[in-house]
Amino acid sequence: MIEEAKKNQITPLRYLFGGLSKHPGAIFVAVILSTLSTVLLTLPSVLLGLAVDELEAEGAVTSLLVTYVWMIVVSILVYMVLFFIVNYVWAVVGHRWERDARQEFIEILQENSMTFHDEVDSKRLLSVAMQDIFWIRFSLNPALPDIVSAIASFGVTGFFLAMIDMEVAGSPLPIFSLIILIGTPVYLISAYSFANRIESIRRVRSETMEEITSISQGVFSGIEVVRAFGSEEREKEKFRTTAEKYEKMVTREGRLSAFYIPAVILIAMTTIAFLYGGVAVADSVLSKGSFVTVLTLLISLTGLNFHLPNVLLSLRGGMINAERVVKILNWQDPMIEPEISSKVDWTSDIIFNDVSFRYSNNENGDHYALRNLSMTIPSGSRVALIGGPGSGKSTLLKLLMRLYDPTEGTIEIGDIVLKSVATKDVRNAVGNVEQDIFLFRMSVRENIAFGHPDASDEEVETAAKRSQAHDFIMDLPNGYDSMVGERGTTLSGGQRQRLAIARALIQDPKILLLDDAVSAIDAKTEFEMRRALDEALRGRTSITVTQRLRTLIESDLVIILDKGRLIAMGSHDELIQTSREYRRIFSRLPGADPILKSAAIGGTQ
Amino acid sequence: MGMRRGPPGPLDREDNRRSRSMRVLLRRMVHYLGGFKRVVTIGAVFSLLSSIFSVIIPIILTNGIDAVVPGNTVTSTLVILVVAYIVLSLTSWILSSLKIWILSGAQAGLVCAVQKDVYDHLVYADLSFHKSQQSGNITSRVATDTDSLSLGIQVIIEFASQVVFLIAIFVTLWITSPLIALTSLIAVPGVLLIAGVFGTLGQQIMLSSQRAYGEVSGQIAENLSGIHIAKAFNREDELAENISKLNERAYAYGFKFSVLMGVLMPLMRAFGQIGVAAILFVGATLAVGANAILTIGEVVLGVILVNQFMMPLLSLSMLLSRVQASMAAMDRISDVLESKPAISDNESAAELRDDSDGITFDDLSFSYIEGIPVLRNVSFHIRPGELVALVGHTGAGKTTIASLINRFYDPQEGRICIGSQDISSVTLKSLHEAVSLIPQEPYLFDGTIIENIRYGKPDATDTEITCLCEILGADEFIEALAEGYQTKILESGKNLSSGQKQMITIARTMLADPRILILDEATSRLDAYSESLVQDAQALLFENRTTVVIAHRLTTITNASRIFVFSQGELVEQGTRDELLKKGGVFKGLYDTYYTHQGIDRISERIAQVAEAEIAEHGSIEKAS
């Protein structure tokens, strides 16, 4: 289904029933058995009629009557077996569908490029993966088999009524058959149109629920901000409006099952059968037993009224859920993988050739994140990259990792255009230590080995030692086996960063990108961090986004971006003399006066 | 750090263990129901009537069976019965529809009422309550728990009518023939068995299944938030593998449950039909012979009713498990409803005057938990327009001071004045208009950028906002975003950089234009150049404003007019950077440990050792997350 989703746009209907077409044989058998089991469930009504006739005729409890009683018991026992099998088949089909659909859904999401993940709220993705797919499964099982057996009930009832019609001697019209022949389609059509009414309501209801979740999540995560601006009343109002909208939708959805018109159709059918059957019995053309059969059959059909409305709504609701899933699956990825990945000498210079980049959700705008960037990063150099908010520096790093492709221009490494290299190969060669260190809910060891899954324990330890992480890891309760991430051992920012450096070291990338975010750390940690960084940067081309002034001074090359343009590039000594923006960095710093003064003299030369 | 240090609150309970008695919880539920007394009563009556009608209808039909005699002409009785059937059926249909109509509204209204109530309590709950909960948990109090409450409410409403239905059926059977009635009881052990299995094994599988689902959901959430790392290291497949394992487990439990239902459902039918067979046999025996005590119609009635007998019995016993879940939800909701409300206005509270400025702490002591003082006898005065930096090790009480000035808590001893007004005697509204707090992590709401900035002053015009951003130097990057000021902020700003987020919070606060500013300085996640821009913007923000900064940056403490040094809840030193450095006391140690290396000098092994010793004594300032 992955391929299908990528190439053709799949429709909600195909998505919904895709699971069934996988097991056509099983479904066929299930439908047959389901019909059979409906026959068995209906049989007692017929047997009851026969028993009544026997009773009327003989006026005694004959052995035939006792046989009928036993037949009722036997038929229900066989029914149990059949039902179990049918249910088992549907359960297999339904639950497997759910499992596979969820797996495929999340795999497609993970394959999608970062453009997708930047655009779509992950809360929404999660709720589609869990809720919507659950409800679709619910509409496949139990809702769909319930509908199958409901339709079978109509069919089987019709069959028995037709048999009874044949018994009615001399009647000009097969009235019972007509009742069911006319009544059934009318019932089903009105039931279908009833189910259709849920569509808009269910959609708005789901969206409003999302809104409620999002409002409360937002407000309570930021409760201090709410308090600080004294805007409790405003937030209350906002929630009130949404909660009331939700109330309205829930009410409307609940009220759908009221005044279920199809029930009236069944009442009409029963009334006609009651009257006609009564007359026929009086005319001695119909046995009392058959009359009883007709009535009990129709009463059984009435029993469907309790269950069928909800089932129909579930099935129709499932379609809406399927629409939501399909809308996400059909997203078209602008990033195209090359047919054959070009070989690259990663130790070459990195050349930016008039590179411009625009995020895709802004197709008509002229808001470029990067504009006409041309520069060469010499092989093996230590580069510091800085720039104001929105200057495009993180975009630049993302382009180098091929999380995105340039909108215009090319990035070349050793004469090879990066676009012609498979993302997998790019990311093997280009390592990354990001700003907000993300650690998975795994052990420390697994988190470090994330950069190189086959790494031995020794390799993990070596990497940890080189990144100055080994000592604090050994102090953790379970050493390298301590769990980190959510609900795991809590680590400080400095510790997390050193783990991330270890993770990058073990990957041993040719080019290392490093967003070096420093939180408030002490001199001891800082000292260790700088040693870890030195270790990480040795022997490869590196680009560091940094706050450390020391790093700026020690870099081979400093690049300053502003509003997506390159505004200055050179060594610290050059820039302190030539760049106003660069000098600004040091202006508020105590003890920086000598540097600036000497530079000022240099600058005027 | 500091802010997270609150009293321990009720912890996250997602399981079904309850901490309150059934009575207390039921009373609370009934209390909410009370708001809908009339509709609920009417609904219950309708429900009751339609139950009774559904017992009468079979009686009419079976009377019809007896009324027609082969060979006789059609009696008027049959016609009357047919008419009665139509009338009763339609009435029953209308009644049950009306019931659904009314109760749907009541149920939704009730959920809405609880939602609002919970939400209001949360908005006004003491900050310590929020600190003790994850926002995800709080959200499920508002969204999920209220929903499962509604199921419980439905059960309570339906309970009466189901019981009446049950009694009506039994009485009818008894009137028909006590023997038939007793025979119908053959189904009871069956129903109890089913209910028992459902309540134990079924519940157990359902809970395991929910847990397994929860794990899948948690893993998916984690994979989505770590997607950039997975991509960076080419590890998407392994992560999908992780999900696959959990997914397989969830599948196994879900499947098990379905199979169990596949046994229980036909079993339920089977017991019904065995009841039918038994009644047919017993009824037939009673309906034959010279002194037959039953008519054929009555036997058929017994057959029909015994089938219906099953339904209320089953739904009653199965609904019980729903009530359990609902009670657990009510219990969790009660945690919120009983949480301590935040401080509210004094009855005699006055407005904070426009000319009140400057902050005075007057011999103030404070503790979150009795017996563990956080601040001790703190006294100081901050002049209007002054910039004061607070420094100190973890646990020194800096963040508490920020919270106290905002009056998130009241001190046990001493007082805080703005100008000459004690803040405990002014209205919170006027206090928060004059005082603004910028927390350490820039927090943005879901919504557009302009909406987020406007949060500081709801009636600000667009031009006002864009002008302000221009002054701050924020307009350039905002306009460079895809949709400029209308750019939607996702997940509190995943699509923005830290620098952008900080600039937006600065703009928001400047728009609010408070007289007094309390800033818990972000532990800088910016690159050197962004940092210099943010500092320029902040300098504008601080200008002519009384400002208290919990300082993490070397430049901030350099530019502060005074530095207050806190140690273990006491103000131990104050002065300018140079004065304090000369003194060689607590500040000197802090300075060497946390600030010096932010400069341009190479860090030496000696300084690292000094820092290590300092931390060994006081603990690290670094925030564990």
Side-chain angles (χ1 to χ4, degrees), chain B residues 216-369:
Chain B
V216 175
S217 161
Q219 188 66 44
I220 291 181
E222 171 161 300
N223 284 14
L224 288 177
S225 47
I227 185 72
H228 54 295
I229 294 298
K231 285 194 179 297
F233 289 98
N234 283 328
R235 295 292 298 278
E236 294 100 319
D237 294 348
E238 280 82 351
L239 289 183
E241 196 64 33
N242 282 350
I243 288 190
S244 172
K245 275 183 217 137
L246 297 173
N247 207 1
E248 193 68 42
R249 262 227 327 231
Y251 159 74
Y253 282 120
F255 182 69
K256 244 192 224 169
F257 188 75
S258 278
V259 170
L260 180 71
M261 291 311 282
V263 175
L264 293 185
M265 302 247 292
L267 205 59
M268 172 184 116
R269 282 246 156 99
F271 281 117
Q273 295 291 9
I274 287 169
V276 167
I279 287 199
L280 179 56
F281 180 75
V282 173
T285 315
L286 295 178
V288 294
N291 37 7
I293 49 170
L294 284 183
T295 64
I296 302 270
E298 282 166 338
V299 177
V300 176
L301 178 65
V303 166
I304 294 171
L305 286 184
V306 79
N307 250 333
Q308 293 192 346
F309 196 47
M310 304 288 295
M311 291 317 291
L313 260 183
L314 257 175
S315 61
L316 274 181
S317 51
M318 287 194 174
L319 288 181
L320 271 181
S321 63
R322 281 186 167 181
V323 176
Q324 285 289 338
S326 200
M327 285 294 163
M330 188 77 240
D331 195 37
R332 290 191 295 265
I333 288 173
S334 299
D335 285 347
V336 174
L337 296 180
E338 286 167 16
S339 66
K340 200 172 105 197
I343 292 157
S344 56
D345 285 346
N346 263 348
E347 271 174 43
S348 57
E351 296 279 306
L352 185 70
R353 283 193 307 275
D354 285 345
D355 58 351
S356 287
D357 200 351
I359 306 166
T360 311
F361 271 53
D362 188 4
D363 197 22
L364 177 141
S365 296
F366 177 76
S367 58
Y368 291 101
I369 305 164

Side-chain angles (χ1 to χ4, degrees), chain A residues 227-270:
Chain A
R227 291 274 164 85
F229 287 108
S231 50
E232 291 95 337
E233 279 300 321
R234 248 190 301 149
E235 292 299 338
K236 235 171 86 177
E237 261 330 290
K238 208 161 79 188
F239 182 79
R240 243 155 226 276
T241 325
T242 315
E244 273 156 25
K245 187 166 152 205
Y246 184 68
E247 177 193 359
K248 226 169 81 193
M249 295 326 289
V250 174
T251 307
R252 278 178 61 189
E253 186 168 327
R255 283 180 179 169
L256 279 183
S257 333
F259 300 105
Y260 178 60
I261 299 293
V264 179
I265 294 161
L266 265 179
I267 293 175
M269 288 161 72
T270 313

Side-chain angles (χ1 to χ4, degrees), chain B residues 96-170:
Chain B
S96 75
S97 292
L98 282 176
K99 173 199 83 176
I100 295 173
W101 186 267
I102 290 171
L103 291 186
S104 303
Q107 215 176 331
L110 194 132
V111 169
C112 184
V114 179
Q115 273 176 346
K116 284 187 202 161
D117 213 11
V118 171
Y119 189 90
D120 291 357
H121 267 88
L122 284 170
V123 167
Y124 291 110
D126 197 56
L127 217 51
S128 57
F129 181 81
H130 287 279
K131 296 295 168 194
S132 67
Q133 304 269 329
Q134 290 178 331
S135 73
N137 279 334
I138 290 186
T139 308
S140 65
R141 288 305 90 81
V142 177
T144 328
D145 283 339
T146 48
D147 231 31
S148 51
L149 197 62
S150 91
L151 284 177
I153 299 287
Q154 188 179 4
V155 173
I156 292 178
I157 294 172
E158 301 257 315
F159 188 81
S161 78
Q162 293 289 332
V163 170
V164 170
F165 189 33
L166 200 63
I167 294 171
I169 290 175
F170 194 75

Side-chain angles (χ1 to χ4, degrees), chain A residues 98 122 224 227 435 518, chain B residues 116 125 131 213 491 524-525:
Chain A
E98 181 180 0
S122 70
E224 276 173 46
R227 291 274 164 85
Q435 184 182 52
V518 214
Chain B
K116 284 187 202 161
K131 296 295 168 194
Y213 264 87
E491 295 165 48
S524 187
R525 323 282 239 96

Side-chain angles (χ1 to χ4, degrees), chain A residues 290-337:
Chain A
S290 299
F291 186 38
V292 169
T293 301
V294 169
L295 288 181
T296 45
L297 280 175
L298 287 171
I299 287 176
S300 301
L301 279 190
T302 314
L304 291 177
N305 286 341
F306 293 108
H307 195 41
L308 208 54
N310 290 326
V311 171
L312 282 168
L313 294 182
S314 299
L315 191 67
R316 194 64 189 83
M319 271 297 286
I320 293 150
N321 296 118
E323 273 169 34
R324 281 161 56 92
V325 177
V326 163
K327 205 170 144 200
I328 290 173
L329 287 182
N330 283 341
W331 185 81
Q332 292 294 310
D333 206 325
M335 176 107 122
I336 296 155
E337 291 276 349

Side-chain angles (χ1 to χ4, degrees), chain B residues 459-474:
Chain B
D459 52 358
T461 63
D462 287 5
T463 3
E464 217 175 314
I465 291 173
T466 46
C467 284
L468 175 74
C469 287
E470 242 167 79
I471 297 169
L472 272 176

Side-chain angles (χ1 to χ4, degrees), chain B residues 28 32 39 45 58 142 208 216 218 227 244 414 443 474 555 557 596 612:
Chain B
R28 188 156 260 157
Y32 277 116
V39 265
V45 169
V142 177
S208 313
V216 175
I227 185 72
S244 172
Y443 186 81
T555 42
I557 57 171
T596 254
E612 191 174 11

Side-chain angles (χ1 to χ4, degrees), chain B residues 415-464:
Chain B
R415 58 186 196 135
I416 302 169
C417 292
I418 290 181
S420 58
Q421 289 180 282
D422 186 334
I423 62 169
S424 64
S425 63
V426 300
T427 62
L428 283 165
K429 195 168 177 301
S430 64
L431 177 69
H432 286 147
E433 272 165 10
V435 180
S436 238
L437 169 84
I438 305 185
Q440 194 169 52
E441 292 294 323
Y443 186 81
L444 302 179
F445 295 96
D446 282 7
T448 62
I449 288 186
I450 199 159
E451 280 166 12
N452 264 284
I453 298 176
R454 186 171 283 133
Y455 205 87
K457 187 182 170 197
D459 52 358
T461 63
D462 287 5
T463 3
E464 217 175 314

